Amino acid sequence: MDEISILKETFGPDAAPSPEAEQRAREALRDRMAPRPKAAWRLRIPIVVGLATSAAVVAAVAIANLGGAGPAVPVTTPERPQEQTQAAAKVPYLRPVNAAQVLENAAWTVEQEQWTDPAPTQFMYVETLEMRNPPAYEQKAPNGALLPGKAKYRKIQKWDRIDGQVQATMRNGKLETLRQGQDGTYFAFVPWSQIIKLTSPEAIAAYLEHPEGGVMAVPDALAGQYVLPPEVKAAIFRYLAQQPGMTVNPDAVNLDGHPAIGLGRVMEGYLSQELLFDKQTYTLIGERLIAVKDESGRGDGRKGDLYRQVIYRKMAIVDRPGDTG
């Protein structure tokens, strides 16, 4: 999916953004993104970037615990919650005191999951909930903080074929499918042959230095955008545990009724990019981008501003686009 298609999907047929808004969106996101290594596309947010273009559209900003932000939508829960609760009592750290211990609990949790290797023709299905500002405001402030009481939930459904050649999304209730190279459009996708090699923190570090296929997703993005084998997701959590500056955000977070622990690192001196884990099961349930200090120098961001929050609803391997597991 190209950038302009994403913007059209976001704003809908009745509120298309102006060219000036599109350009502001691209420039704002580019300012927030770290420089890319040569010949590699770095994916940090759950938006697929067209390889045929150099600009990126602004990420959806979101937050789930703002008053008046729309109806709650239940997060998918395990089929056997009692068994998972019992398993959670066996995690390595019953009362984790730092980010490394929370991440080790999360790694242990995913290692208990059952897994069957997918066929190249099967699809990764990822369903998320995002919160979005009203379209008119997004045109004026495409990369601004979420407006309390005005942002609304939006369900995102995406299917990526394991071989990276087909991608599908649900738009306005209609399933739309793209193929690599169709009408000159290309979408970034980390090769499955690369993904299955990421079974240790050392392998992940090597991948970040030399990504296969010239497409790189930072570990945080891999964990939220791809349906991963348990050993790969566990390795990602253990890799993150080794990174300097990884901390537990002491602020309470509530994702649709699920108390969550926020783990992340501060970027640009004031933004905390966090993964959110269920406090009892240590399952990864979302992500957010929050200002932990006042922005200085180039903007008007204030401590407590929320720029992004996503709830991970469902991740599954399915046979065809439209299937949800």
Side-chain angles (χ1 to χ4, degrees):
M1 181 183 297
D2 59 81
E3 294 96 332
I4 302 305
S5 296
I6 296 170
L7 278 169
K8 288 179 180 178
E9 178 185 359
T10 298
F11 290 92
D14 299 325
S18 65
E20 293 79 10
E22 293 172 2
Q23 184 61 30
R24 287 198 304 272
R26 291 180 172 126
E27 292 175 355
L29 181 58
R30 191 182 299 116
D31 288 343
R32 291 203 188 278
M33 295 177 69
R36 296 187 182 104
K38 288 184 179 180
W41 286 88
R42 182 186 297 267
L43 306 182
R44 288 186 177 273
I45 52 178
I47 288 182
V48 176
V49 181
L51 294 178
T53 61
S54 59
V57 297
V58 67
V61 292
I63 176 60
N65 59 347
L66 292 174
V73 181
V75 175
T76 299
T77 55
E79 294 181 2
R80 297 186 297 271
Q82 183 176 1
E83 291 183 16
Q84 182 152 353
T85 301
Q86 292 170 350
K90 301 175 183 177
V91 294
Y93 299 97
L94 294 180
R95 294 179 178 82
V97 297
N98 55 39
Q101 291 182 0
V102 172
L103 286 163
E104 180 58 34
N105 281 356
W108 184 94
T109 296
V110 298
E111 287 175 333
Q112 313 312 307
E113 297 175 0
Q114 294 183 347
W115 175 261
T116 300
D117 290 333
T121 55
Q122 288 185 295
F123 287 77
M124 294 186 289
Y125 171 65
V126 177
E127 179 182 319
T128 58
L129 287 178
E130 297 183 5
M131 291 287 289
R132 303 295 293 262
N133 277 326
Y137 181 80
E138 279 195 346
Q139 292 191 56
K140 296 178 182 178
N143 214 35
L146 200 71
L147 296 176
K150 296 184 178 181
K152 300 295 181 182
Y153 270 119
R154 181 182 179 208
K155 184 167 76 170
I156 308 297
Q157 294 173 279
K158 190 158 85 70
W159 293 262
D160 283 293
R161 204 163 76 179
I162 296 298
D163 64 7
Q165 296 304 302
V166 180
Q167 182 185 96
T169 56
M170 190 67 70
R171 183 185 302 179
N172 298 324
K174 180 181 178 181
L175 187 67
E176 297 191 2
T177 303
L178 279 178
R179 292 182 177 274
Q180 289 283 20
Q182 181 181 13
D183 299 325
T185 298
Y186 294 87
F187 42 87
F189 186 80
V190 179
W192 191 256
S193 58
Q194 171 75 87
I195 288 174
I196 59 176
K197 296 175 184 176
L198 306 180
T199 55
S200 70
E202 294 75 20
I204 292 171
Y207 154 72
L208 294 176
E209 291 293 328
H210 303 286
E212 181 180 318
V215 179
M216 183 177 71
V218 294
D220 316 51
L222 271 176
Q225 299 177 44
Y226 288 72
V227 183
L228 302 174
E231 63 269 24
V232 173
K233 189 172 280 190
I236 287 174
F237 295 154
R238 291 182 174 124
Y239 169 84
L240 293 174
Q242 297 176 3
Q243 304 312 298
M246 184 67 67
T247 60
V248 177
N249 191 321
D251 295 336
V253 179
N254 190 294
L255 278 185
D256 196 31
H258 286 63
I261 305 170
L263 301 183
R265 290 164 291 183
V266 175
M267 308 181 304
E268 303 180 25
Y270 78 104
L271 286 172
S272 180
Q273 181 174 306
E274 300 175 357
L275 294 176
L276 302 173
F277 296 86
D278 185 275
K279 278 191 172 183
Q280 293 188 349
T281 66
Y282 300 98
T283 301
L284 181 64
I285 59 174
E287 62 174 275
R288 72 174 181 172
L289 184 66
I290 181 173
V292 291
K293 295 180 181 179
D294 290 348
E295 182 180 9
S296 60
R298 61 170 190 169
D300 57 359
R302 294 291 179 264
K303 181 178 179 180
D305 284 350
L306 290 126
Y307 293 86
R308 176 176 180 77
Q309 188 154 306
V310 177
I311 300 175
Y312 301 153
R313 285 288 305 275
K314 193 169 189 179
M315 295 183 175
I317 299 295
V318 297
D319 292 332
R320 60 188 60 84
D323 290 350
T324 59

